[in-house]
Amino acid sequence: MAIWKEQTPAKKDTASFPLDPPPAPLPPRENASNDFAPAPTPAPSFSAAPAPAAQPAGKESLIASDLTIEGKIEGTGHVRIAGKFKGDVNVQGDLTIENGAKLTGGVRANKVTIAGELEGNIESAAVVELQASGVLVGDLKAGSLTVAAGSRMRGQADFGWKDDKGGKKSENGAGA
C-alpha cells in the first residue's frame, strides 16, 4: 500500500504559448568606459560641528602616539604623525600632525595639516592647514594657508605666490 498518490503527467490539451523572439542586439556605444564611472557625489553640507578628518586615498603610514622616532621620511604616500618625530619629512603626499604630536624638522609635502606642533620650516607645500590646536614654530612657503582661530605661529609665512625659478613675483610681475 502506497502512502502517496502517484502523479500522472499533465494532459496536452491546453494551448501552448509561442516563445518570445530573442531581443535584438544593442548598437555599439561610443564611450562605453563611462558605464563604470563612479556616480557624482553630492556637495557636502556644512555644519557648526567640525567633521572628523577624512582618510586620504592611497597608502598612509602612521607614527602612533606612544612612539618617538628619529630619522628621515621620504616617499610617495601619506604620513600621519600622532607621536613624536625628529627629522625631515619629504613626501609626495599629505602630512598630518595630530593633536598632541610633535615634529621637529623640515617638511616638504603636497598638503600639510597641523593640529599638533611643528618645529621647523615648511619648505614647499600646495596647501597648509593650521588647525585650532596647531602650533608652528618656523617659516612656511605654501600655495595656500588656512589658519583657524586659536592656532599659533612664530615665523615668516609666504603663501599665494607662484614661485618661478626661486624668485617671488613682485608687484610689477618681475622675479625678485
Side-chain angles (χ1 to χ4, degrees):
M1 178 169 146
I3 300 178
W4 65 88
K5 183 178 178 184
E6 289 188 27
Q7 298 278 333
T8 59
K11 293 183 180 179
K12 290 272 185 169
D13 50 319
T14 59
S16 64
F17 295 102
L19 296 174
D20 290 334
L26 295 174
R29 297 180 61 172
E30 289 185 25
N31 194 355
S33 64
N34 287 340
D35 290 345
F36 299 105
T41 57
S45 62
F46 296 100
S47 63
Q55 290 291 335
K59 297 178 182 179
E60 181 178 62
S61 298
L62 171 69
I63 297 177
S65 60
D66 57 348
L67 290 177
T68 300
I69 297 177
E70 187 172 334
K72 185 176 187 180
I73 298 175
E74 288 190 4
T76 58
H78 306 296
V79 176
R80 180 175 302 271
I81 298 175
K84 294 181 179 16
F85 182 78
K86 185 175 183 180
D88 294 338
V89 177
N90 184 2
V91 292
Q92 295 174 353
D94 300 345
L95 170 66
T96 303
I97 303 170
E98 295 286 337
N99 193 0
K102 182 173 183 179
L103 169 62
T104 305
V107 171
R108 285 178 178 258
N110 292 339
K111 179 181 179 186
V112 180
T113 303
I114 304 170
E117 185 176 345
L118 171 59
E119 190 174 313
N121 298 333
I122 299 175
E123 297 171 20
S124 69
V127 177
V128 174
E129 183 179 330
L130 193 56
Q131 296 182 347
S133 59
V135 176
L136 172 60
V137 179
D139 298 339
L140 85 92
K141 290 183 182 178
S144 70
L145 172 65
T146 303
V147 180
S151 61
R152 297 179 290 159
M153 179 182 169
R154 179 172 288 147
Q156 181 179 349
D158 293 329
F159 58 93
W161 296 93
K162 294 278 186 183
D163 201 10
D164 296 330
K165 297 180 186 172
K168 290 176 263 176
K169 274 200 277 184
S170 63
E171 291 180 18
N172 62 8

